[in-house]
Amino acid sequence: AKDYELRQYETAKWVSTVIRGETQKEAMRQGFWKLFHYIQGKNEKEMKIDMTVPVTCLVKSGCTDFKISFFVPFEHQDSPPQPTDSEVFIEERKAAAIFVRSFGGFASPEKYAEEAEVLARILRNRGQPFHEDFFYTAGYDSPFKLFNRHNEVWYFKK
């Protein structure tokens, strides 16, 4: 479809942290830095790991907990170094079919929510079953990139 795509993601490991009771914007900031310290060597092997994209944020309706995640690079998927920060953890996300809507510009929590609502409406109108109680935001660019930015919202197919 021209306004969204359906992707198949394989099982993969992500390094994540959950930030509770903050705004989404503040949770993203705090979560990003916790994960950035992990890839800069705050892990049991004191290993530097390349930054990957996307950076995702799990948004659950009516919930002020946000799970921020970095994709673990392919060369570390088999055995990522364990985090030394007790609030950072490695998780394995199972293979899934995901509905994706892409958009440009600088994405705010409000813009992500707006795009998620547009995607949800399109999926409902087309009779596509999906998990409506949560979505992921996915950001692909450094804050220093000014043009041709790429952002996504993801709903998991039922």
Side-chain angles (χ1 to χ4, degrees):
K2 66 178 181 357
D3 36 17
Y4 73 91
E5 58 186 294
L6 177 58
R7 292 187 196 148
Q8 181 63 44
Y9 280 95
E10 298 308 313
T11 298
K13 292 190 179 84
W14 295 71
V15 59
S16 302
T17 188
V18 175
I19 306 295
R20 294 181 170 83
E22 296 287 351
T23 63
Q24 184 178 346
K25 186 172 186 161
E26 180 59 18
M28 283 292 293
R29 191 189 67 75
Q30 287 182 26
F32 177 89
W33 286 110
K34 280 185 177 296
L35 300 175
F36 187 76
H37 290 134
Y38 166 82
I39 66 171
Q40 286 298 298
K42 194 173 180 185
N43 57 63
E44 65 182 11
K45 294 181 183 165
E46 296 182 357
M47 178 190 290
K48 279 193 185 253
I49 298 167
D50 289 337
M51 175 82 200
T52 60
V53 290
V55 175
T56 65
C57 177
L58 172 61
V59 180
K60 297 181 196 166
S61 21
C63 183
T64 56
D65 294 357
F66 298 97
K67 182 169 65 176
I68 316 304
S69 306
F70 287 4
F71 180 78
V72 172
F74 292 109
E75 62 268 25
H76 299 293
Q77 279 287 319
D78 289 339
S79 61
Q82 287 304 305
T84 52
D85 179 338
S86 62
E87 295 179 2
V88 175
F89 56 95
I90 303 293
E91 65 168 330
E92 184 171 88
R93 294 190 195 163
K94 298 291 177 220
I98 301 176
F99 293 109
V100 178
R101 180 172 171 81
S102 301
F103 60 99
F106 280 90
S108 62
E110 297 75 22
K111 180 67 175 163
Y112 277 123
E114 185 184 303
E115 293 292 337
E117 187 44 52
V118 169
L119 177 55
R121 193 167 47 244
I122 291 166
L123 295 173
R124 281 187 213 108
N125 288 343
R126 301 209 176 130
Q128 291 284 6
F130 65 102
H131 293 276
E132 297 193 35
D133 52 332
F134 70 91
F135 66 90
Y136 278 91
T137 68
Y140 287 81
D141 302 302
S142 121
F144 307 109
K145 181 174 180 181
L146 302 180
F147 302 102
N148 300 316
R149 296 178 61 81
H150 184 82
N151 314 288
E152 296 174 348
V153 288
W154 299 351
Y155 274 112
F156 282 56
K157 184 176 177 157
K158 275 191 177 172

